[in-house]
Amino acid sequence: RRTEIGDVEEAVFEEALPEEIPVVFTMNRFGYVRLFDEAVFRKNEEAIREDSRCCIFCKNTSQILAFTKEGVLHAVRLNRMPVSRPKDKGVPFDNLCNYDSSKETLLFVSERIELLGKKLLFVTERGMIKVVDASEFITSKKTVNSTKLSEGDALMDVQVVEKKQIVLVTDRKRYLRFQISDISEMKKTSVGVRSMKLDEDEKIALAFQMDPKEERTVKIQNKKYNFTNTRLKRRDAKPEL
């Protein structure tokens, strides 16, 4: 008995892509995350927002980027994350990536597509500052370094550049206001440039952006401070009281 085997094309199996739907990614102050269908979120928006530190409108195929105080970036794809119900507790962010809440502190969370075409502002506790193009943080890896830190330093904040000026306030309530254009745009692997002259053991405690002539009052240690008419100086100047 003979069996004849002819030319047979190699079978190709393609994994079906998930249907793309609008969702809302939320995280509460304890680091628990949930993923809601947008329609469900809208019906329960007030209660969900009250329980959340951030709510990000995106797609179920999106990638969430989380920046930590320790200078690490964690990337999470949402296509394998189950959709939640309003009463669900959610899952720890630690379970979705290499983030370790016992050793790391989250500073800034956003969605990858939302950051495209934007600039990110990095401020460290010891006063180093820089602007980085957000395209540098598009990665296929789960964990990468988001910046370079000097020994003993840590990130104080990461922000999207949205205004013309920045105000930095130290833990001794000294402040400096200067143009964001004074800050060098650098690679993510750089330390940055000095933002202001700090005393020994003094640290940056707050950073916020302003536009010229903008009225701004900020609460610092339960006391309100008006920064509307504060003097504009140059980067790396001595801070004022």
Side-chain angles (χ1 to χ4, degrees), residues 77-108:
R77 295 195 175 276
L78 300 181
N79 55 357
R80 298 189 184 278
M81 187 174 171
V83 176
S84 302
R85 295 171 297 181
K87 292 185 178 180
D88 289 345
K89 181 179 179 180
V91 297
F93 191 63
D94 307 48
N95 292 6
L96 302 179
C97 58
N98 296 326
Y99 173 71
D100 185 347
S101 58
S102 67
K103 299 177 181 177
E104 298 177 88
T105 302
L106 288 173
L107 288 179
F108 176 68

Side-chain angles (χ1 to χ4, degrees), residues 189-208:
T189 52
S190 64
V191 174
V193 294
R194 191 169 68 172
S195 61
M196 66 166 77
K197 295 179 172 67
L198 296 175
D199 290 340
E200 188 176 356
D201 297 329
E202 187 176 19
K203 294 181 179 181
I204 305 293
L206 177 67
F208 60 91

Side-chain angles (χ1 to χ4, degrees), residues 109-142:
V109 181
S110 187
E111 193 268 332
R112 181 177 67 90
I113 299 299
E114 179 66 22
L115 291 181
L116 290 179
K118 297 182 179 180
K119 308 289 184 182
L120 294 184
L121 181 69
F122 285 72
V123 184
T124 77
E125 292 181 349
R126 291 298 301 150
M128 303 307 291
I129 195 167
K130 66 180 177 179
V131 170
V132 183
D133 193 288
S135 63
E136 291 212 29
F137 304 104
I138 306 306
T139 178
S140 59
K141 297 181 179 180
K142 290 184 178 181

Side-chain angles (χ1 to χ4, degrees), residues 7-8 25 70 74 92 111 117 146 160 183 187 204 222 227:
D7 293 334
V8 180
F25 173 88
E70 293 70 26
H74 297 286
E111 193 268 332
S146 65
V160 174
I183 307 169
K187 296 294 184 181
I204 305 293
N222 298 320
F227 287 90

Side-chain angles (χ1 to χ4, degrees), residues 6-14:
D7 293 334
V8 180
E9 292 185 4
E10 183 180 353
V12 177
F13 298 93
E14 294 186 358

